[in-house]
Amino acid sequence: MSRTWKIALSTVLLATLGALYFGVMGLPAAGKGPGETGKTTIVGSLKDPGPFDRAFQSADTVVIGTVKKLGPAVISSPPTLGQAEADMGIYTPVLLEVTEVFKGNVKPGEIVTFAQLGGKAGGHTIIYAGEAEFKEGEQVLVPLYKPTGAFKSWTGGNLHADQGKYLIDASGAATNEVRAETLPAESLKAKIKSALVSP
């Protein structure tokens, strides 16, 4: 193979690997500026979740259930002309089949739909740092909140889990990453019941 062909093939290979890298990492390729499609934006930073008791007392609904499905992400607050991409809103609907209820107007066996802030829609990917993320098949304990302020727009008016998600694994351990807390699920249930009867 001639030197010219080797150089041409090397150039094509490097270009292909570069495109794959930017696609997998969710980064904008060269030539794409802020606000253009294909861009990933991280919004906010990890915040203090606040006292445990208050987090559950202020929730509208507190349940354990299995994540049955994640719906297609929705652009809830499209950017307008001159608006920063970080000001747009995207949420992903989460369908949870309830198995146990601690608070709220819902029964075991029912499906509760709530908003996971962030997602990918219309060529945009928005990640809200510190917000809970969900996967199909997970068993979780979640406090769900009615949106207020900007959250009404960002969540499309749906309930949201904020940072309250506890993932329950096969061993019965419940973990909340934001609080860096892992405890037996039964202990977590007792803790929540105590918080909900506290003044």
Side-chain angles (χ1 to χ4, degrees):
M1 183 180 293
S2 70
R3 176 180 172 80
T4 302
W5 275 105
K6 287 181 179 179
I7 293 173
L9 285 174
S10 297
T11 302
V12 171
L13 180 60
L14 286 173
T16 302
L17 289 174
L20 286 172
Y21 174 79
F22 285 116
V24 170
M25 297 300 292
L27 299 173
K32 288 189 176 182
E36 292 185 25
T37 60
K39 182 173 174 59
T40 296
T41 301
I42 298 176
V43 180
S45 60
L46 199 63
K47 59 183 184 290
D48 183 350
F52 180 92
D53 287 8
R54 187 186 306 163
F56 284 88
Q57 290 167 356
S58 61
D60 177 78
T61 301
V62 181
V63 295
I64 292 177
T66 301
V67 178
K68 303 301 289 184
K69 184 178 179 181
L70 299 180
V74 177
I75 297 178
S76 52
S77 181
T80 57
L81 184 64
Q83 183 183 32
E85 185 168 299
D87 293 329
M88 73 182 295
I90 293 179
Y91 73 89
T92 302
V94 180
L95 280 68
L96 185 77
E97 184 175 10
V98 175
T99 56
E100 192 169 348
V101 181
F102 299 89
K103 182 180 182 181
N105 187 25
V106 61
K107 298 177 181 178
E110 293 183 351
I111 300 291
V112 172
T113 301
F114 61 93
Q116 169 187 299
L117 291 178
K120 183 175 182 179
H124 298 271
T125 299
I126 302 291
I127 299 171
Y128 294 89
E131 298 298 326
E133 295 184 4
F134 297 83
K135 296 179 181 178
E136 291 182 10
E138 287 183 332
Q139 184 181 23
V140 296
L141 185 152
V142 286
L144 299 173
Y145 304 91
K146 287 184 177 179
T148 59
F151 272 49
K152 286 185 178 180
S153 172
W154 292 344
T155 66
N158 294 292
L159 294 169
H160 64 95
D162 199 24
Q163 298 175 317
K165 172 191 172 183
Y166 279 83
L167 176 63
I168 302 174
D169 65 23
S171 72
T175 301
N176 181 291
E177 293 183 356
V178 176
R179 294 182 183 276
E181 177 182 39
T182 299
L183 70 167
E186 293 303 318
S187 298
L188 176 60
K189 292 178 187 181
K191 193 175 178 180
I192 290 170
K193 288 176 181 177
S194 176
L196 292 178
V197 298
S198 298

